[in-house]
Amino acid sequence: MMKYWSEVAKRCTPYVPGEQLNDSTIIKLNTNENPYPPSPNVQSAIKKEMEQALHLYPSPTVDSLREAIAKQEGTTKESVFVGNGSDEVLAFAFMGLFSPYRTIRFPAITYSFYPVYANLFQIPYEKVPLMSDFTLDETAFFHSEGGAILPNPNAPTSIFTSLDLMENIVKHNPDNVVIIDEAYVDFAPETAVALTHKYEQLLIVKTFSKSRSLAGLRVGYAIGHPHLIEALTRIKDSFNSYTIDRLAIVGAKAAIEDTAYFKQTTRHILQTREWTREQLEERGFSVLPSATNFLFVHHPIYEAEKLYQQLKEKKVLIRYFRNQGITDYMRITIGTDEMMRKFLLVLDQVMEGE
Ligand SMILES: *Cc1c(COP(=O)(O)O)cnc(C)c1O
């Protein structure tokens, strides 16, 4: 029935997210969700809002949440944009800050949503190869024609690029927007948010889905110069006035204000990550240095695709990528200690051919 489709519907190639299987017995290590529940304050805030205000539209400007985010990030409300998941923020940023006929750049191995947005909005792009150890060649991002987008830490490689190198990229793109997608930055040494005060072409995008345990609530945000934020707001208001519902507003606000809980769960994930890394190395895997809540690994003998399939048959789900020239690698999300112990038990069975 394609004859009824618009040119846009025909042209786009939708993103394929990691499997979400409806089976609670599966050990799910495939989409980088947080294994811990969100702050208990989230639940009480949502309950209260449900009892009081669901018959009313939410705030189109989301001031209360933007203020709470600004406070945590050391910036002003005018420098914060909130969206329905950072995927939506990224879509608005592609539409609002990149242009057709001006080529943007992103790493050749990276978040596979970027080419999807580029195709949707007809933005030409160049894929910049990584070095052989998967680190970034920062000079290859200098003087782009239409801007650049790169995650830091990168996904799915898990590698963090120092702020000095990232600043160099921003500095060498004075007339174009550089977007840094910091989905995993809370598991890494430092954020580039402070650089937004120095460079008006820099936009940082963050999410509540990973470190704040709120993948199911769909909240992400951007930080940048108010002129950049205004472009995103113009796109949003030409599209949907209320992208963030009332429950998401109060839930995300409660989550970002509970710093103690956030620090505790994040610290625990980092400990589990290092323990899992050692365990995998003992089994002969090489593990890239991770600054995220996942590990990107490969084994010199065992084929990644087979391991992925055999683990899946035994109800352990990890992520395997058939594209981007990383077919020897697997990505493993860090779960609770118990989830990782079970994962390693099943991995041992699979490696021993059981
Ligand atoms: C998870 C992820 C996102 C999307 O996060 P949502 O806020 O859940 O939409 C964006 N970028 C990268 C690199 C991610 O891994």
Side-chain angles (χ1 to χ4, degrees):
M1 295 301 268
M2 289 218 333
K3 77 169 187 181
Y4 296 117
W5 293 10
S6 71
E7 288 310 312
V8 179
K10 284 181 198 160
R11 180 179 72 234
C12 65
T13 32
Y15 176 75
V16 185
E19 298 148 286
Q20 297 290 353
L21 300 181
N22 205 1
D23 179 349
S24 60
T25 62
I26 278 182
I27 299 179
K28 192 169 181 305
L29 306 174
N30 71 327
T31 52
N32 298 341
E33 288 139 327
N34 201 303
Y36 299 108
S39 156
N41 300 348
V42 171
Q43 206 179 344
S44 40
I46 287 181
K47 191 159 175 278
K48 189 167 158 232
E49 189 73 3
M50 277 180 70
E51 284 161 3
Q52 293 179 353
L54 274 192
H55 61 295
L56 300 173
Y57 278 113
S59 159
T61 50
V62 203
D63 293 293
S64 59
L65 177 56
R66 286 167 64 216
E67 253 156 38
I69 292 169
K71 199 168 161 214
Q72 290 295 325
E73 298 281 7
T75 189
T76 58
K77 185 186 77 179
E78 290 67 34
S79 308
V80 178
F81 177 86
V82 180
N84 192 261
S86 63
D87 286 337
E88 186 187 77
V89 177
L90 289 167
F92 290 171
F94 269 67
M95 217 190 308
L97 302 170
F98 294 152
S99 297
Y101 316 113
R102 289 179 62 207
T103 305
I104 62 162
R105 291 183 196 155
F106 48 78
I109 299 168
T110 197
Y111 188 38
S112 42
F113 227 133
Y114 304 152
V116 172
Y117 296 132
N119 287 330
L120 179 61
F121 303 127
Q122 297 191 290
I123 298 158
Y125 59 89
E126 278 168 18
K127 293 180 173 184
V128 177
L130 297 177
M131 310 295 257
S132 59
D133 62 355
F134 294 106
T135 56
L136 207 67
D137 173 11
E138 89 271 16
T139 56
F141 288 88
F142 290 2
H143 307 293
S144 68
E145 185 191 20
I149 174 155
L150 47 181
N152 197 30
N154 196 7
T157 66
S158 76
I159 290 180
F160 181 71
T161 304
S162 77
L163 288 199
D164 285 349
L165 297 197
M166 296 305 285
E167 181 170 3
N168 240 343
I169 293 174
V170 180
K171 208 187 282 177
H172 288 85
N173 281 283
D175 302 317
N176 293 310
V177 170
V178 174
I179 302 175
I180 306 180
D181 180 352
E182 290 195 337
Y184 300 102
V185 81
D186 293 326
F187 306 103
E190 53 185 337
T191 169
V193 163
L195 294 178
T196 60
H197 302 296
K198 200 168 159 189
Y199 299 97
E200 59 181 23
Q201 74 273 35
L202 174 61
L203 190 80
I204 310 275
V205 177
K206 295 198 184 188
T207 178
F208 282 79
S209 297
K210 277 81 187 221
S211 60
R212 301 280 173 174
S213 305
L214 285 176
L217 203 63
R218 310 304 304 129
V219 185
Y221 58 98
I223 298 183
H225 192 282
H227 293 317
L228 301 187
I229 300 303
E230 195 184 340
L232 303 186
T233 308
R234 287 172 65 89
I235 299 288
K236 187 208 94 171
D237 289 339
S238 307
F239 186 82
N240 177 359
S241 305
Y242 311 108
T243 52
I244 319 294
D245 65 60
R246 281 189 173 270
L247 306 185
I249 293 172
V250 298
K253 183 166 181 286
I256 202 152
E257 285 173 346
D258 195 347
T259 308
Y261 182 87
F262 160 77
K263 281 192 177 156
Q264 185 197 326
T265 48
T266 304
R267 197 179 318 123
H268 205 138
I269 288 170
L270 296 190
Q271 282 165 2
T272 311
R273 178 182 83 193
E274 292 316 300
W275 178 79
T276 308
R277 180 180 57 77
E278 286 164 21
Q279 291 291 316
L280 287 166
E281 283 173 353
E282 276 176 25
R283 288 159 175 82
F285 285 89
S286 60
V287 182
L288 267 63
S290 171
T292 61
N293 66 336
F294 59 86
L295 296 172
F296 195 56
V297 312
H298 98 111
H299 198 286
I301 298 161
Y302 293 86
E303 277 175 43
E305 185 168 15
K306 272 196 191 147
L307 287 177
Y308 157 76
Q309 279 299 348
Q310 290 166 328
L311 286 168
K312 191 173 167 184
E313 280 159 26
K314 292 181 182 290
K315 296 200 168 206
V316 174
L317 203 53
I318 58 167
R319 192 82 189 262
Y320 175 73
F321 298 89
R322 275 184 194 81
N323 53 7
Q324 301 195 74
I326 44 175
T327 51
D328 294 341
Y329 284 79
M330 338 184 269
R331 193 192 71 187
I332 303 154
T333 304
I334 301 301
T336 61
D337 295 325
E338 198 198 338
M339 286 162 81
M340 300 325 282
R341 272 197 298 273
K342 283 189 186 158
F343 155 71
L344 289 164
L345 264 174
V346 175
L347 180 65
D348 285 339
Q349 289 172 6
V350 163
M351 289 172 76
E352 283 157 22
E354 284 170 28

